Amino acid sequence: MLHKRLIATSTLAALATFAALGAGNPAFAQVKIGVVTSSTGPVSLVGIPQKNTVPLLPTKAGDLKVEYISLDDASDPTKSVTEVKKLISEYNVDAIIGPSGSPNAMGVISFAAEAGVPMLAPVGTAAVVLPMTEQKKWVFKTTQNDDLIANALVGQMIKSKVKTVGFITINDPFGENWAKVFSELAAKNGIKIVANERYQRTDTSVTAQTLKIMGANPDAVLVAAPGAATVLPQTTLFDMGYKGKLYQTHGAALPAFLQLGKNKVEGTILAASLMLVLPEIADSNPSKKVATDYIEAYKKMYGSVPATFGANVYDAGLLLEKAIPVAAKKGKPGSKEFRAALRDALEGTKEVVGTQGVYNMSPADHSGFDERGRELITVKGGNWTLLK
C-alpha cells in the first residue's frame, strides 16, 4: 500500500509540474497570426514583397511564441474573403495581416469585425479606417493615410506655383478616397482640377484619359494609384509630349516604378517612406535603423531590396510584437478575451518605431503616422533622391 501511495503521489506531482509548465509558463502558449497577400495576379508587385516579408516577422512576443499562416488571394477580392474566413474558422487566428489590395481589404472588414479578430491592413486607402465605425475599430493601417501624403504634395505644388492640375486615379476604393482627399485639399489652396479621369488597375491603355488631360493643359498632373498601375498614365503622358510637373502618391514607391518607367518617369515628385532614400536620412531619425535592419535581412534572404509594401507587413509584425504581451495579461491566446485585448493594445500604441515612421494610435486614428512618416522625394538619374 505504501508503495502504491508513493507511486500515486509521484504521479500527481508529475502531473502538477506538467500543468504548471503547460499552463503557467506562457512560453508554451502560441499566438496564431494569419497573413493574406496578393503574391500572384495583377497586384503581385505589391503582394510578393509582402509575402516574402513573413519569414522575417518576430516569432516571439514577450514570452509567447508567434506562428504565421500565410495564404495567397491571387489578387481576387472574392478569394480574399474565402481566405480570411478560413483563417478565422479553421486556423483560429488571433489577428490578420492583409490583404494586399484596397478593394480586397475593404471586402473583408466585416468578417474580421464580426469574429472580433484585429486586422492590420497594409493598404493604401484610408477608407479601411476612416470614417471610424464599429466595424473599422477592428482595423489598423500600416501605411500613411492619404491626407498626410496629399498635404505634402499640395504643399510642394503651392511652392512650385502650380495653379491647375490634371488628376487621374484608379477606379476602386484607393482612387475614390484619393479623389475626395485631393479635391478638397486642392480647393482649399486655390488649385483647380481641370481634368479628372479614372482607369482600371488592369487597363493596358489610358490614351483616351490622357488626351483629355492634355487638352486641359494643366500645370501639373497627379497620378494616384498603387503598384504597377502607377506607370501607365505617366509613360503615356510622356509619349504624348506632356511637359508639366508629374506627381505620384506613395503608391509608386516600388523599384518597378523606376524599372518600368525608365527615363519616362524622370523628375517625378512623390511623398513616401524614408526607405526610398535611406542613405540620405540622418542617423538621428529613429526609423533609419529599423528600416536598415529590415532591408538587410530581406536582402540576405532574397538577394534584392524590398519595396516599401513589404515594410508595411514588417511594421504590422512590430506592432503585434508590442501589443501581444499587453493583451496576454487579460486573456489566453485563442480566446475572444485575448483578441479584444489585442485590439485595445493596438489602439493604445504609443511611439512604436517602424520602418517608415513612428506609430501613435488612438480611438480616432488607426494609422498613427505623423510627419515623421513621409518624405518628399524625386526621381533623378533613374534613382530616388530627397527633394531639396
Side-chain angles (χ1 to χ4, degrees):
M1 289 293 292
L2 179 61
H3 178 66
K4 287 182 178 179
R5 274 201 299 272
L6 286 171
I7 292 173
T9 303
S10 175
T11 303
L12 286 170
L15 287 170
T17 301
F18 178 78
L21 287 170
N25 186 345
F28 281 82
Q30 190 172 64
V31 180
K32 291 184 179 180
I33 308 297
V35 185
V36 180
T37 60
S38 299
S39 50
T40 57
V43 193
S44 60
L45 283 178
V46 174
I48 289 171
Q50 293 183 339
K51 179 185 178 182
N52 287 350
T53 297
V54 176
L56 305 177
L57 299 180
T59 55
K60 198 174 182 184
D63 293 322
L64 295 170
K65 293 180 181 178
V66 183
E67 175 191 1
Y68 301 92
I69 300 101
S70 182
L71 304 176
D72 173 27
D73 64 15
S75 304
D76 180 359
T78 302
K79 194 174 181 189
S80 299
V81 172
T82 302
E83 303 298 29
V84 165
K85 285 182 174 180
K86 184 187 297 182
L87 288 168
I88 292 168
S89 62
E90 295 182 24
Y91 291 99
N92 197 37
V93 296
D94 292 303
I96 293 169
I97 299 173
S100 299
S102 293
N104 308 58
M106 291 295 292
V108 302
I109 291 173
S110 61
F111 301 101
E114 184 181 355
V117 175
M119 174 177 146
L120 292 94
V123 298
T125 181
V128 293
V129 292
L130 292 174
M132 184 57 66
T133 64
E134 275 300 302
Q135 288 189 339
K136 290 178 184 178
K137 77 177 188 180
W138 289 93
V139 185
F140 299 85
K141 182 171 175 282
T142 57
T143 66
Q144 303 89 337
N145 275 349
D146 302 336
D147 59 345
L148 185 70
I149 300 298
N151 269 293
L153 294 176
V154 170
Q156 211 287 326
M157 289 177 185
I158 293 168
K159 186 177 179 181
S160 299
K161 296 182 169 50
V162 169
K163 297 295 183 184
T164 57
V165 175
F167 178 68
I168 180 167
T169 188
I170 55 173
N171 192 22
D172 72 6
F174 180 96
E176 288 168 19
N177 201 66
W178 258 98
K180 177 179 181 295
V181 169
F182 180 66
S183 61
E184 290 175 359
L185 200 55
K188 284 180 184 177
N189 289 279
I191 296 172
K192 186 177 181 181
I193 299 174
V194 293
N196 200 331
E197 297 298 318
R198 301 290 181 274
Y199 67 108
Q200 300 298 327
R201 195 183 290 248
T202 53
D203 281 352
T204 56
S205 172
V206 290
T207 300
Q209 295 94 323
T210 49
L211 280 170
K212 290 179 183 177
I213 292 171
M214 291 290 290
N217 193 31
D219 297 333
V221 175
L222 171 61
V223 180
T230 57
V231 180
L232 183 61
Q234 191 159 341
T235 55
T236 306
L237 283 164
F238 180 93
D239 291 340
M240 288 184 175
Y242 181 69
K243 301 299 182 185
K245 291 183 176 293
L246 270 300
Y247 291 85
Q248 289 271 356
T249 73
H250 52 329
L254 74 165
F257 179 76
L258 301 177
Q259 294 159 4
L260 295 171
K262 298 180 180 177
N263 67 305
K264 297 180 182 182
V265 298
E266 188 76 8
T268 302
I269 296 170
L270 70 160
S273 163
L274 56 85
M275 275 183 59
L276 295 186
V277 288
L278 208 52
E280 297 183 70
I281 300 298
D283 292 342
S284 58
N285 187 307
S287 290
K288 184 169 184 177
K289 184 181 186 309
V290 180
T292 300
D293 290 347
Y294 165 60
I295 291 169
E296 290 306 314
Y298 193 101
K299 282 169 64 178
K300 184 176 180 181
M301 184 167 284
Y302 301 105
S304 61
V305 174
T308 58
F309 303 115
N312 302 144
V313 167
Y314 190 77
D315 281 2
L318 297 180
L319 290 168
L320 286 167
E321 183 183 29
K322 297 288 186 183
I324 285 168
V326 178
K329 296 174 184 176
K330 296 184 179 179
K332 183 180 178 182
S335 70
K336 287 186 176 180
E337 293 77 11
F338 176 77
R339 291 166 191 155
L342 184 57
R343 191 216 73 86
D344 293 346
L346 287 166
E347 190 173 82
T349 295
K350 291 290 178 281
E351 290 296 299
V352 171
V353 180
T355 57
Q356 304 178 79
V358 181
Y359 293 89
N360 284 285
M361 304 288 189
S362 72
D365 184 0
H366 278 201
S367 174
F369 282 108
D370 55 27
E371 291 185 2
R372 292 173 291 180
R374 70 180 189 204
E375 299 287 346
L376 274 170
I377 296 165
T378 189
V379 180
K380 187 176 181 181
N383 293 302
W384 308 112
T385 184
L386 274 175
L387 184 65
K388 297 172 183 176

